[in-house]
Amino acid sequence: MSLTGRPVYQKGAVADRKAKPMRRVAKGKRSSSECPIMKSAKGEPCLADWCGCNGSTETTAVRHIRKFKIGGMGCKPPSFMGFYGCQKAEDMFAVSRTQEWTWRGICQALVLTQMRLVEQGLLGGGE
């Protein structure tokens, strides 16, 4: 015990210190809500035909492909490395331990998404 009555390993609380709000975006990075590609997913149909949602538009977002060491802990892959997918597709692709999706289905969703981005002028369409 120390002179304050607390064990030595406990630090005293500073009364005038306020907790800083947590940062949502890494320092120097833009928020994903500012990204035109991420914004473009709103209202788009789910292009992952393997998830069984029949093209739902309710929870569609850009679902990043985090395979082959693209991205990692605290590092999101580029926005063009994703597909328009619903929450069910995200759960099946990223979270599920069973492989209910196929690489053919992922590639198809990726290519269809990139074609839409080219049509919208958000991705360069190389001739």
Side-chain angles (χ1 to χ4, degrees):
M1 290 283 188
S2 69
L3 297 174
T4 62
R6 282 186 235 106
V8 177
Y9 58 85
Q10 285 184 340
K11 293 184 178 180
V14 179
D16 60 351
R17 219 185 251 178
K18 292 183 181 178
K20 293 181 183 178
M22 291 182 62
R23 292 183 55 83
R24 292 182 177 210
V25 181
K27 197 171 187 176
K29 300 281 184 176
R30 292 187 318 168
S31 168
S32 63
S33 63
E34 296 174 17
C35 176
I37 292 177
M38 299 296 283
K39 285 182 180 179
S40 73
K42 186 173 176 103
E44 289 286 335
C46 173
L47 298 176
D49 62 352
W50 39 266
C51 75
C53 73
N54 298 323
S56 136
T57 59
E58 297 168 7
T59 60
T60 303
V62 174
R63 307 299 176 177
H64 292 93
I65 298 173
R66 298 174 184 268
K67 307 291 182 191
F68 316 113
K69 297 184 181 178
I70 300 171
M73 288 286 280
C75 182
K76 196 182 281 187
S79 294
F80 63 86
M81 290 302 301
F83 58 91
Y84 291 155
C86 64
Q87 186 61 49
K88 186 175 179 183
E90 172 76 4
D91 293 343
M92 289 175 73
F93 179 60
V95 180
S96 177
R97 297 261 182 223
T98 60
Q99 189 170 344
E100 299 173 33
W101 48 270
T102 63
W103 281 112
R104 183 183 185 281
I106 296 293
C107 290
Q108 180 180 351
L110 175 68
V111 169
L112 291 173
T113 300
Q114 288 182 347
M115 288 173 58
R116 291 231 174 154
L117 293 173
V118 169
E119 289 170 5
Q120 297 171 13
L122 298 174
L123 196 62
E127 284 86 41

